[in-house]
Amino acid sequence: VRLVGARGLRAGDSNGRSDPYARVFLAGSVWQSAVVFATLEPSWDEERTFELPQHLPDALLHIVLFDWDQIGAHDYLGEVLLPVAALSAQGEADVWLQLGSGVPDSGVTGEVRLLLRRAELSAAASEAASDRARLSTRAGQAAAP
């Protein structure tokens, strides 16, 4: 999963901008992007590899965007749910996905851009990806804003 960027986000701050970051969830793993300050069109260009166990064919890629705030709770900017089964077995997809909230009149606007690649990993590569995901998840929890 490569989190490329977003556009058309709503302003979460009084200066008419947001300080967006994303949390990405898949199959029990969590990854958090960097915060991009003072923009409604962040560019992250960050990538993570997730291992998807074969016993989870109905897994969902869940991306939630927030506006980082130094004081108080971070503001919700929207989210996307994408069934992993929608991805082809091999190959890449470059997609813009509309943010939603599930709540009418929530004020959520914008889209998030992802480059998605689904590939079969060798046993060694699969173990290395699992190790990286565990380390990344621990680091993300320790460094959460």
Side-chain angles (χ1 to χ4, degrees), residues 49-62:
T49 300
F50 292 93
E51 183 176 358
L52 183 62
Q54 293 196 3
H55 68 277
L56 292 175
D58 297 332
L60 293 171
L61 177 64
H62 186 193

Side-chain angles (χ1 to χ4, degrees), residues 97-119:
L97 300 171
Q98 185 71 42
L99 294 171
S101 74
V103 177
D105 302 322
S106 65
V108 169
T109 63
E111 301 172 295
V112 63
R113 182 180 176 202
L114 305 171
L115 288 176
L116 303 166
R117 182 175 52 239
R118 186 171 176 180

Side-chain angles (χ1 to χ4, degrees), residues 6-73:
R7 64 183 175 201
L9 300 179
R10 73 172 176 84
D13 296 335
S14 60
N15 65 3
R17 298 188 179 144
S18 286
D19 305 311
Y21 69 93
R23 286 194 182 143
V24 181
F25 304 86
L26 179 62
S29 294
V30 180
W31 157 48
Q32 184 168 301
S33 74
V35 175
V36 180
F37 293 97
T39 185
L40 300 178
E41 299 199 3
S43 178
W44 289 288
D45 201 28
E46 296 181 28
E47 184 172 344
R48 293 294 185 274
T49 300
F50 292 93
E51 183 176 358
L52 183 62
Q54 293 196 3
H55 68 277
L56 292 175
D58 297 332
L60 293 171
L61 177 64
H62 186 193
I63 300 167
V64 186
L65 272 58
F66 294 94
D67 168 43
W68 180 85
D69 288 323
Q70 188 169 357
I71 299 172

Side-chain angles (χ1 to χ4, degrees), residues 65-107:
L65 272 58
F66 294 94
D67 168 43
W68 180 85
D69 288 323
Q70 188 169 357
I71 299 172
H74 300 210
D75 302 316
Y76 174 80
L77 294 177
E79 62 191 289
V80 166
L81 286 168
L82 179 68
V84 172
L87 305 175
S88 64
Q90 299 288 325
E92 265 187 24
D94 182 348
V95 295
W96 282 96
L97 300 171
Q98 185 71 42
L99 294 171
S101 74
V103 177
D105 302 322
S106 65

